[in-house]
Amino acid sequence: QKEVEQNSGPLSVPEGAIASLNCTYSDRGSQSFFWYRQYSGKSPELIMFIYSNGDKEDGRFTAQLNKASQYVSLLIRDSQPSDSATYLCAVRGNDMRFGAGTRLTVKP
Amino acid sequence: EAGVVQSPRYKIIEKKQPVAFWCNPISGHNTLYWYLQNLGQGPELLIRYENEEAVDDSQLPKDRFSAERLKGVDSTLKIQPAELGDSAVYLCASSLQGSYNEQFFGPGTRLTVL
């Protein structure tokens, strides 16, 4: 079992729709949870981090954390073609573990 | 503010040759990370420095990989000898001391081993 699992996608949504990206993790002692966006050929950039159960909103992005279910998600509202990228979930326990990423395509 | 700088951006070498990558973190960032990213995978931590001390190198293949951060600023990652399976992107990141909260990644070095 991988420590951080994501659906590889591709996930395709129309412009203006809500994109929902999911991530599960195996280490119950994990403390912090991160979402990174990575455009093709570029390095990852941090979108959001969340520590506590519940929702955290930042503009069009909402991160959701459920530690009991070991589940973290990212919602992107009003998706734009510029949101097309690979989204990496990262989980911090004793170190930082990344998922393999979900490729998102937003179609105009 | 300048971001994380890495060089070279691309490197092509033959197997069994040595190779070195250089990273200059964001000014004031005491924590420096080296990651390896294979195509279609997320970054995998190789080593983390707090100032000049390597605090986590458990994932670094020490038979062929070495790293240093002598003055607590710049860092060099070396592979000797390189193998075909080492072809990947090597990412350097930095953050404020003791914090994984906001890692800033450099552009990476794409290594191809022939």
Side-chain angles (χ1 to χ4, degrees):
Chain A
Q1 181 188 11
K2 292 183 180 179
E3 296 188 36
V4 181
E5 294 209 48
Q6 299 180 252
N7 289 327
S8 61
L11 173 65
S12 181
V13 300
E15 183 175 357
I18 296 175
S20 178
L21 305 162
N22 305 316
C23 172
T24 58
Y25 59 95
S26 60
D27 181 5
R28 284 196 172 274
S30 299
Q31 305 151 5
S32 313
F33 307 86
F34 306 84
W35 283 100
Y36 285 82
R37 176 175 63 200
Q38 187 171 27
Y39 293 112
S40 181
K42 302 296 185 181
S43 56
E45 56 179 328
L46 182 67
I47 299 174
M48 294 187 69
F49 58 86
I50 186 168
Y51 303 139
S52 305
N53 280 328
D55 296 358
K56 179 181 179 182
E57 186 175 321
D58 184 0
R60 296 187 296 113
F61 299 95
T62 299
Q64 299 175 317
L65 174 62
N66 184 325
K67 290 187 178 180
S69 300
Q70 296 175 246
Y71 175 90
V72 59
S73 66
L74 179 71
L75 300 178
I76 307 175
R77 290 182 299 281
D78 189 24
S79 295
Q80 301 297 309
S82 59
D83 295 326
S84 298
T86 295
Y87 289 80
L88 300 167
C89 172
V91 175
R92 178 190 175 190
N94 292 324
D95 58 16
M96 185 79 102
R97 300 283 175 166
F98 284 80
T102 298
R103 187 188 305 176
L104 172 67
T105 299
V106 181
K107 296 186 175 181
Chain B
E1 178 183 275
V4 177
V5 179
Q6 290 187 249
S7 68
R9 293 293 312 279
Y10 305 91
K11 189 72 175 180
I12 300 173
I13 61 171
E14 294 187 348
K15 63 181 180 181
K16 302 183 180 180
Q17 294 300 305
V19 64
F21 313 124
W22 176 80
C23 173
N24 182 254
I26 292 172
S27 178
H29 282 194
N30 296 322
T31 307
L32 183 147
Y33 316 77
W34 282 103
Y35 287 91
L36 175 156
Q37 186 174 24
N38 287 304
L39 187 65
Q41 300 297 316
E44 299 172 31
L45 182 70
L46 291 172
I47 190 168
R48 175 168 65 99
Y49 282 94
E50 296 289 350
N51 297 302
E52 64 273 8
E53 181 182 0
V55 296
D56 184 357
D57 63 355
S58 58
Q59 302 302 313
L60 189 72
K62 298 181 183 63
D63 57 336
R64 297 184 301 107
F65 286 64
S66 64
E68 61 183 13
R69 194 185 185 199
L70 294 177
K71 297 183 179 179
V73 180
D74 296 5
S75 178
T76 302
L77 178 69
K78 298 179 181 178
I79 308 174
Q80 182 172 11
E83 297 179 351
L84 295 177
D86 296 331
S87 296
V89 176
Y90 291 82
L91 293 164
C92 179
S94 70
S95 68
L96 293 175
Q97 185 166 6
S99 172
Y100 272 110
N101 293 351
E102 192 164 12
Q103 294 183 64
F104 292 87
F105 283 85
T109 296
R110 181 177 298 276
L111 174 67
T112 301
V113 182
L114 302 176

